[in-house]
Amino acid sequence: MTTVEKSRSTRTEAAEIMPFGGWENTPAPAGFGDRETLFRFPAADDPAPSPARLLLMALYAAALGLAGVGVGVRAMVTIFGGTAFWYVPTLSLFGLASVALVVGSFLSIHRPLLPWLLLTAATVPLAVDVLIAALY
């Protein structure tokens, strides 16, 4: 069996195991005219991102995650003392917005600038979370 046949066999097996997939082939440009898809899982034939880029993005995301854990611990302590009805939903909303932006940054890792913009944008709702937790 040649390498090409093995590759086709693997793609077919992957499609049978996960019929909802689609990441085994590079997707065709979708959307408006010639513009490519902004967010997608990397395909098998996509070039790997540089290790330095991936490491920096992971460290940035980890710092955001640790700050989010700190907010969560502060919120849990405040809940035991009795809180206003708006406190937990507000912290959750801003925390989930930050998480969604971080996920978007990793789904757009092959773009030159978009992941960094999304990681920077994820800092804003988390900063609001920290301020709410610190001031309440």
Side-chain angles (χ1 to χ4, degrees), residues 101-127:
L101 290 167
V102 169
V103 168
S105 72
F106 279 96
L107 287 177
S108 64
I109 195 166
H110 289 291
R111 301 279 175 197
L113 189 60
L114 184 60
W116 300 111
L117 292 174
L118 290 172
L119 283 172
T120 304
T123 306
V124 174
L126 188 61

